[in-house]
Amino acid sequence: DDEVRAMLERTGMPGYTDATIVDPDRLLDELAHVRRVGFATDESEQEEGVRCVAITVGVGDAAVAVSASGPEARFTEERRDAAVGVLRAAVADLHP
């Protein structure tokens, strides 16, 4: 948490859409949730009308992830949730 706060102090937290998280405490809560469930979602936080799900890939010390995204009209919550399973299977094949 301290490392995240330090980074945010250096870079700021610009808002790209009305859904963008711009509060450090809220971001830390979201990161804790991501650690618990094992994947992250983006619900129009980066670009209005776009949904995304991402899962980390264990590649040594590298910060790597795989993701799937699309327009909310086609990449529904149901499809997003189904993509989690597909991404988990793909990531399992990538672990050394």
Side-chain angles (χ1 to χ4, degrees):
D1 287 359
D2 292 339
E3 188 175 335
V4 171
R5 285 186 190 280
M7 182 187 71
L8 295 175
E9 287 178 19
R10 289 190 309 273
T11 62
M13 294 186 72
Y16 299 101
T17 72
D18 290 341
T20 303
I21 297 172
V22 294
D23 175 77
D25 291 330
R26 185 165 168 233
L27 177 62
L28 291 172
D29 288 346
E30 181 64 19
L31 290 173
H33 175 74
V34 168
R35 288 183 201 104
R36 280 192 306 276
V37 298
F39 62 92
T41 60
D42 175 341
E43 299 292 337
S44 293
E45 295 161 41
Q46 179 69 31
E47 184 175 344
E48 193 69 40
V50 176
R51 174 174 282 131
C52 180
V53 61
I55 297 180
T56 61
V57 179
V59 184
D61 293 336
V64 179
V66 294
S67 68
S69 61
E72 289 176 331
R74 290 195 313 258
F75 196 48
T76 62
E77 289 181 13
E78 182 178 277
R79 286 184 174 168
R80 178 208 57 207
D81 294 346
V84 171
V86 173
L87 291 173
R88 283 189 170 144
V91 167
D93 291 341
L94 296 175
H95 286 285

